[in-house]
Amino acid sequence: MILAHDDVGSGSVAVLLVHAFPLDRRMWRRQLDALVGSDRRVIAADLRGFGASPGTLTSVDDHADELAQLLAARRVEGAVVVGLSMGGYVALSFARRHPGKLAGLLLADTRAGADSDEAKQGRVANIERVRREGVAAVFDAMRPKVFGPNSTREVIEELRGLAAAQSPDGVAAALAMMRDRPDATPELEGICVPTTIVVGTNDAATPPSEAEIMHRAIPSSKLVTIEGAGHFTNVERPDAFNRALLELLATVRR
Ligand code: MLT
């Protein structure tokens, strides 16, 4: 079954929005609102196991391939892939596996490296936690790293609500997928499409140092640091995020 998605606007090149963990495509509503009415086509997808895409997947490459199948089904020839955090892991796999469909890349609050041993242990603990206590408990365990002093209660409650709506099976599979994903660092230097890297200065989950590693390795990439924002920059600071996205889109050939 094709991934659940929104597809607005028209054109053969689309902006493809790939959500974070443990959320779904509804986290992009501020970007859809900003882009609807522009001359851009935008597709926001629910990765397998999230939102309205039932099932489970434990391979980052399988997620990337499902996005490529979605683009083919929607007759999209090329995409500016926008991935935040887990969405960035999938976006980097997409860049490796489907370079001919990649028109541009925005990597937000993510990292190219694989999980450390400590992070892998954290995934295992969270797989047990989601089975025992549910998805909201996994989200609550993430809070100290993903939110900073400027993160508002409204934003935290909105994202917690999205997390609580996710399937424990889908979330457990995604935790295994993230634990086992390969190191994408060696492939960064081969990325030759317009690329922007976005990071919030208060993001302790995927901190600015990770964004700088990707910026140094991806030729001609642009680094946008959003002062005072936590991990979910597109939700916390939509104006700054949308500006970075629109500036990237202005450089992409259609
Ligand atoms: C996310 O926001 O997608 C997660 O922080 C990714 C992760 O746990 O590595």
Side-chain angles (χ1 to χ4, degrees):
M1 197 182 90
I2 194 170
L3 293 174
H5 62 279
D6 299 308
D7 182 353
V8 298
S10 60
S12 59
V13 175
V15 179
L16 176 63
L17 301 171
V18 190
H19 62 82
F21 171 93
L23 308 174
D24 64 34
R25 70 187 196 272
R26 289 174 290 179
M27 70 168 258
W28 295 114
R29 68 178 172 82
R30 294 162 180 82
Q31 285 63 52
L32 277 167
D33 287 351
L35 289 165
V36 166
S38 75
D39 59 348
R40 293 288 174 176
R41 182 171 180 184
V42 189
I43 298 179
D46 285 338
L47 293 171
R48 179 72 54 210
F50 292 90
S53 295
T56 57
L57 271 190
T58 53
S59 152
V60 71
D61 290 346
D62 288 348
H63 280 294
D65 291 353
E66 282 213 305
L67 290 176
Q69 286 157 19
L70 171 62
L71 295 181
R74 301 305 305 170
R75 299 191 191 290
V76 172
E77 287 165 16
V80 179
V81 182
V82 178
L84 192 140
S85 199
M86 177 180 75
Y89 308 155
V90 177
L92 285 169
S93 171
F94 185 98
R96 175 167 49 83
R97 293 173 71 78
H98 304 283
K101 289 189 182 238
L102 189 70
L105 194 55
L106 190 150
L107 298 167
D109 306 285
T110 191
R111 59 161 52 84
D115 272 8
S116 64
D117 288 343
E118 188 188 346
K120 284 182 200 285
Q121 284 167 19
R123 304 292 188 198
V124 173
N126 267 334
I127 290 171
E128 286 164 15
R129 181 178 276 127
V130 74
R131 299 259 175 250
R132 212 175 44 235
E133 300 169 47
V135 183
V138 172
F139 183 82
D140 288 340
M142 292 167 61
R143 282 167 63 155
K145 285 197 160 181
V146 296
F147 296 118
N150 302 323
S151 306
T152 64
R153 189 196 304 193
E154 287 76 18
V155 161
I156 296 171
E157 287 306 314
E158 177 184 334
L159 296 181
R160 191 175 191 275
L162 286 187
Q166 305 306 319
S167 134
D169 284 345
V171 165
L175 285 161
M177 175 275 281
M178 293 192 286
R179 177 194 63 199
D180 298 337
R181 75 187 192 283
D183 181 7
T185 314
E187 289 129 33
L188 296 178
E189 65 180 11
I191 294 174
C192 54
V193 294
T195 300
T196 296
I197 296 153
V198 174
V199 68
T201 54
N202 290 345
D203 181 359
T206 49
S209 55
E210 297 290 346
E212 279 155 20
I213 289 171
M214 296 187 289
H215 174 50
R216 279 197 296 273
I218 301 177
S220 312
S221 60
K222 180 175 176 184
L223 178 61
V224 176
T225 302
I226 303 183
E227 194 61 41
H231 183 61
F232 300 102
T233 45
N234 72 307
V235 181
E236 286 200 11
R237 297 285 300 280
D239 288 353
F241 188 98
N242 294 346
R243 199 177 313 120
L245 175 55
L246 289 168
E247 283 177 12
L248 171 67
L249 294 178
T251 69
V252 172
R253 288 215 332 263
R254 290 193 269 174

